[in-house]
Amino acid sequence: MLPPSRRDFVSLTVSESGSYTNSKQWCRQSCWRKWKRLSRLQRSLILFTLMLLLVCGIATSPTLIRHWRGENGYDGKQPFVVNLKNEYRSILPELPSEKKDYHRRGPPALQNHLQTKTNVSGLLGVENHGLDLKNADKGSEGGKPINSWRGAVIEEEHASDTDTKDTEIQDDPASIALAESRLEAVREAFRHAWKGYKNFAWGHDELKPISNSYGEWFGLGLTLIDALDTMWILGLKEEFAEARQWVAKELSFDKNVDVNLFESTIRILGGLLSTYHLTGDSLFLEKAKDIGSRLMPAFSTASKIPYSDVNIGKGTAHSPQWTSDSTVAEVTSIQLEFRDLSRLTGDPKYKLAVMEVMKRVHKLDGKQDGLVPMFINTNNGLFTHQGIYTLGARADSYYEYLLKQWIQGDKTEKELLDDYLQAVEGVKKNLLKKSTPSGLTFVGELSHGHFSPKMDHLVCFLPGTLALGAHYGLPTDHMELAKQLIETCYQMYAQMETGLSPEIAHFNTHEGSTQDVDVKIADRHNLLRPETVESLFYLYRFTKDKKYQQWGWEILQNFNKYTRVCERGMKQFHFCTMFFFIIIIDKFIFLEYIFLMSISVENKWLYYFTSLQC
C-alpha cells in the first residue's frame, strides 16, 4: 500500500462576513486587541513611561515654567518687557532722580549726555561700591572748554539738531518702553551666561556649556577678567563685587605658565585697565602693572619684534615650537594697552617697547600699496610669506590699531596716519569688489597677484574703523565706504538660514549668479565674533540711523535663539556659549559708555577697549 501523499501547501478559506475592509474602525479594534493582550505589568510600564515623558516635556519648557511662575518671558522675538521698578530694583543702580545725594560716575561729558536721556540712559548710572573715585577736574586748553577725567582730556559735547531730535525721540513713552525692554534683554543675556560660568567654571578661563565643565588657556580667569567692566557698566553690583573679590584674593600671575602675548594683553591687561578707568579702584591698576611687567620679556629680541609666548612665572619668552614667525596682527595690536599702562604708571618702558615695533614695521619692505603680509620673523624682523595680502585673520587689527593709536596720541604721530591712509587706498585699489546680483561691496584677498573673493567675518571691523576716521576729520568718502561695507556685513548674517554669519564668506562676481554669498562646508560655523556689532555701534553713533540699531537687535535675537545650550534635566538651566559678546547689541550700553569716555578725546588719551573679542 502506498503511503498517503504529502501536501506541500496550506489551504485557507475566508468568509465574506470576515473580510478585511482596511477601515479606521478595524484599525482601532486591532490596536485595542493588541493592547488587551498585554499583561497588566506591561500596560502599567507603558502608561508610566508616557506620563514621565509628558511631565519631563512640561518641566523642561522654559515658556511654560515662566508662565506658571508669573515671570516675564523672553522668546527671542518679542521685546523682553520687565517691571524695572520692582523685580530688578535690587540689582540695578538707583536712578539719579531717586537718590538725594547721587554721586555721578564717569566722564563729565557722559554725565551731561545721560541727563538728556531720561530713565533709559539713567540705568547706566552706577553706585560707589565703596571705591574712592575722584571728581573730574575742569580746565581749558586753546580756548576750548574741556573736562579731565582720570587723566583723560575730554572735549565738551555740544548740543546739535541731531542730538535734540534724538532726545525728543527718547522722550516718547513708546520709545522709552521699547528701549527699556531691549536694555533688559541684554542684561538678561548677560546674567544667563554668567550663571553658567559661575556654576561650572568660576575662576577658570572659559565655560564649556555642553559638558558643564571648563577649559583653560592660561589658567588666569580670562572670562572673569574680561567681564569686569561689562558688569560695572550694566550695574550688576553683586556680580561685580563677587568678581572683584576673586581678583583680590585669588588672581595671581606668579605661575609657571606660558601665555600668549597678544591674548593676554587684550583680555587680561586690557580688562584690568578698562575696569580701573571705570571704577578708580587701585586694585585693578596694580594687577595691570603686575601682568604688564611680566609680559615685557617678550620684547627681548634682537629685532625688537616680540615673541608670541611668555612664561610669566620664569620671565622667559620664546616663539612657538613650530615656527619663528609671529603674526603681524598680534605684534601690532598690543600698543593701546601698553601705551596706556605707561601713562598711568609714569614708566615709559611699556610704551617705548610697543612703539619700537610700529617703527620697525613702518620701514619694512614687502608692502603693496600700504597692505602688509601676514607674518613677521622675530629673529630678523622681516616680513615672511610675502605676496599674500588680507584684512582678515593674521593681519586685520594692524590696520585698525594704526588709526586708534593716532587718535590716542593726540593725532600727532604722522607716521601712523600715513600708514593708515595708504592702507585704505591700497584696499580700494586691490581688494574692493562688488558682488552679483545685488552689488554688495566686499573686501577680498590678494595672493601673488591673483584676487580671491574671500572675506573673513573679521574684516567687518573695517566699517567701524572707517567711520571713526571720518569722525576725526579723515576724507568723507571713508564714511560712504563704511556704509557700503556695513550693509555687506549685515547681509552676511541676514542671508543665512540662522541669521548668523559664517566665519568666511565667498562672494559671487560672475554674471548670472543667483545669490551673492557662497559658504563652504568648512566655514559653516559662527565663532561669536563682535566685529560686525562693533561697526554697527560706530555707524549708529555717528549717523543716528536707527536701522543699525535694529540690525543689532536682530543679531541679538538670533544669538539668543541658536547659541543657547541647555542642560538636560528637570530644572531647565540655560548656559550660553556667546558669553559677553551680545552685551553691546541694540542700545550698545557697553560700548556707548566706553565710546563717550574715549572716542571724544581730543588730547593726550584715547583708550578704546572692548572685552568682547572672542
Side-chain angles (χ1 to χ4, degrees):
M1 180 181 292
L2 295 174
S5 61
R6 184 177 179 181
R7 296 196 301 178
D8 56 359
F9 61 91
V10 176
S11 64
L12 178 64
T13 302
V14 181
S15 64
E16 291 185 3
S17 61
S19 62
Y20 172 65
T21 63
N22 196 31
S23 66
K24 293 182 180 180
Q25 181 179 0
W26 183 91
C27 183
R28 287 194 295 268
Q29 291 174 352
S30 178
C31 292
W32 177 250
R33 284 197 299 269
K34 291 179 181 179
W35 173 257
K36 294 295 290 184
R37 289 172 185 172
L38 296 176
S39 67
R40 180 175 297 180
L41 176 60
Q42 290 174 320
R43 284 182 287 181
S44 298
L45 287 174
I46 291 174
L47 289 173
F48 176 77
T49 302
L50 291 174
M51 290 298 296
L52 183 61
L53 290 174
L54 178 62
V55 172
C56 289
I58 295 175
T60 56
S61 172
T63 303
L64 289 175
I65 288 177
R66 293 190 183 108
H67 177 73
W68 287 351
R69 294 179 181 174
E71 297 181 16
N72 295 291
Y74 174 65
D75 60 5
K77 296 182 179 180
Q78 299 299 324
F80 187 94
V81 182
V82 296
N83 186 347
L84 293 175
K85 294 185 178 180
N86 296 317
E87 183 175 359
Y88 292 97
R89 178 59 55 87
S90 60
I91 59 176
L92 290 178
E94 293 181 85
L95 302 180
S97 59
E98 296 174 343
K99 292 188 66 178
K100 295 181 180 179
D101 299 320
Y102 178 74
H103 186 64
R104 289 173 291 177
R105 296 285 175 256
L110 175 62
Q111 297 167 9
N112 297 337
H113 182 71
L114 293 179
Q115 288 178 358
T116 67
K117 290 202 172 184
T118 67
N119 293 346
V120 176
S121 295
L123 294 174
L124 294 177
V126 288
E127 293 184 358
N128 196 343
H129 287 289
L131 306 177
D132 183 18
L133 300 187
K134 298 179 181 179
N135 294 324
D137 299 323
K138 295 184 178 179
S140 62
E141 186 171 327
K144 193 178 199 179
I146 57 174
N147 287 319
S148 174
W149 182 74
R150 299 211 56 77
V153 182
I154 302 174
E155 182 183 13
E156 285 281 13
E157 291 191 15
H158 299 282
S160 63
D161 294 338
T162 305
D163 294 333
T164 304
K165 183 178 180 181
D166 188 55
T167 303
E168 292 174 356
I169 294 175
Q170 290 294 334
D171 290 337
D172 177 64
S175 298
I176 293 174
L178 178 62
E180 286 182 345
S181 67
R182 289 185 172 184
L183 283 169
E184 190 53 42
V186 175
R187 286 192 180 89
E188 186 271 343
F190 183 96
R191 296 190 196 99
H192 174 95
W194 188 252
K195 181 179 180 181
Y197 176 76
K198 181 179 177 182
N199 289 342
F200 297 105
W202 183 253
H204 298 284
D205 286 345
E206 62 177 348
L207 167 68
K208 293 184 176 181
I210 295 178
S211 61
N212 294 337
S213 59
Y214 58 84
E216 299 286 25
W217 290 18
F218 318 127
L220 298 174
L222 292 183
T223 292
L224 188 148
I225 296 173
D226 239 356
L228 287 167
D229 48 6
T230 305
M231 287 185 285
W232 177 269
I233 293 167
L234 290 178
L236 302 178
K237 298 178 288 185
E238 295 179 5
E239 291 85 347
F240 180 87
E242 277 187 307
R244 184 196 181 280
Q245 186 176 23
W246 182 89
V247 171
K249 295 184 177 180
E250 303 294 334
L251 180 60
S252 172
F253 300 121
D254 189 17
K255 293 183 177 181
N256 180 18
V257 59
D258 282 356
V259 303
N260 179 271
L261 172 65
F262 168 71
E263 298 289 352
S264 299
T265 299
I266 66 171
R267 301 178 190 279
I268 301 175
L269 178 58
L272 292 169
L273 286 173
S274 57
T275 307
Y276 170 69
H277 281 300
L278 289 170
T279 66
D281 190 340
S282 61
L283 166 68
F284 301 108
L285 179 57
E286 290 302 314
K287 293 290 185 180
K289 183 179 179 180
D290 187 9
I291 186 61
S293 299
R294 292 174 182 272
L295 293 175
M296 288 302 291
F299 299 93
S300 300
T301 65
S303 67
K304 303 302 180 183
I305 302 300
Y307 291 121
S308 63
D309 298 328
V310 186
N311 188 302
I312 57 176
K314 294 182 178 180
T316 59
H318 57 87
S319 298
Q321 295 179 354
W322 57 89
T323 182
S324 59
D325 292 343
S326 290
T327 67
V328 172
E330 289 188 356
V331 302
T332 59
S333 301
I334 54 179
Q335 279 67 25
L336 292 181
E337 291 82 359
F338 276 94
R339 286 164 57 123
D340 192 52
L341 186 59
S342 280
R343 187 188 65 79
L344 292 172
T345 63
D347 190 340
K349 68 179 181 181
Y350 308 108
K351 178 179 178 179
L352 292 175
V354 295
M355 290 314 298
E356 184 63 29
V357 177
M358 299 307 300
K359 292 178 182 178
R360 298 292 178 107
V361 173
H362 173 74
K363 298 175 182 178
L364 282 181
D365 294 328
K367 300 178 184 178
Q368 179 167 331
D369 299 317
L371 304 177
V372 297
M374 296 186 294
F375 297 96
I376 189 168
N377 189 277
T378 56
N379 295 326
N380 57 32
L382 301 177
F383 289 131
T384 62
H385 301 80
Q386 296 188 32
I388 302 176
Y389 304 97
T390 176
L391 264 67
R394 301 184 178 91
D396 52 340
S397 49
Y398 160 74
Y399 305 100
E400 176 187 0
Y401 272 45
L402 285 173
L403 176 68
K404 291 180 178 178
Q405 288 176 79
W406 174 69
I407 300 172
Q408 186 185 45
D410 192 21
K411 300 183 289 186
T412 60
E413 296 160 290
K414 188 175 182 298
E415 288 182 351
L416 294 170
L417 178 61
D418 289 343
D419 287 347
Y420 174 74
L421 292 175
Q422 188 179 9
V424 173
E425 294 305 312
V427 170
K428 294 179 181 178
K429 179 180 177 181
N430 300 286
L431 305 182
L432 214 59
K433 300 286 184 181
K434 287 187 179 292
S435 68
T436 55
S438 303
L440 298 175
T441 302
F442 69 95
V443 179
E445 297 182 353
L446 199 64
S447 178
H448 304 288
H450 297 287
F451 179 81
S452 170
K454 168 181 174 289
M455 179 171 167
D456 294 0
H457 183 278
L458 288 167
V459 180
C460 288
F461 81 89
L462 186 58
T465 302
L466 289 168
L468 177 62
H471 175 73
Y472 275 92
L474 299 188
T476 55
D477 67 315
H478 287 200
M479 178 62 79
E480 295 306 312
L481 179 56
K483 293 178 180 179
Q484 295 175 33
L485 289 174
I486 194 60
E487 170 73 27
T488 302
C489 291
Y490 168 68
Q491 289 300 326
M492 288 171 64
Y493 283 80
Q495 293 189 20
M496 299 299 108
E497 292 84 348
T498 60
L500 298 177
S501 172
E503 175 66 3
I504 299 172
H506 289 77
F507 287 85
N508 291 315
T509 57
H510 303 291
E511 293 296 331
S513 299
T514 57
Q515 59 183 21
D516 295 272
V517 181
D518 280 335
V519 183
K520 298 185 182 300
I521 294 177
D523 304 323
R524 292 176 183 175
H525 58 274
N526 184 288
L527 296 182
L528 312 169
R529 296 191 185 276
E531 286 79 14
T532 294
V533 178
E534 182 183 351
S535 288
L536 285 172
F537 163 74
Y538 281 121
L539 267 296
Y540 171 69
R541 288 287 297 158
F542 294 142
T543 69
K544 302 296 183 182
D545 190 335
K546 288 189 175 295
K547 75 177 180 181
Y548 301 121
Q549 198 175 50
Q550 181 60 30
W551 290 355
W553 176 244
E554 292 173 13
I555 294 173
L556 169 63
Q557 289 177 301
N558 291 326
F559 272 108
N560 266 329
K561 183 175 181 180
Y562 290 106
T563 69
R564 293 195 176 207
V565 179
C566 304
E567 179 192 14
R568 295 179 180 178
M570 296 294 291
K571 292 188 178 180
Q572 183 67 15
F573 289 111
H574 288 281
F575 305 114
C576 187
T577 60
M578 70 183 106
F579 289 97
F580 311 110
F581 168 76
I582 53 178
I583 302 308
I584 58 177
I585 302 178
D586 181 45
K587 281 298 287 186
F588 307 108
I589 55 177
F590 171 51
L591 285 180
E592 182 169 1
Y593 196 103
I594 296 296
F595 182 87
L596 289 171
M597 183 178 69
S598 59
I599 304 305
S600 298
V601 176
E602 292 292 337
N603 296 281
K604 309 301 181 188
W605 180 67
L606 168 78
Y607 183 75
Y608 179 84
F609 173 77
T610 169
S611 64
L612 311 173
Q613 299 177 53
C614 303

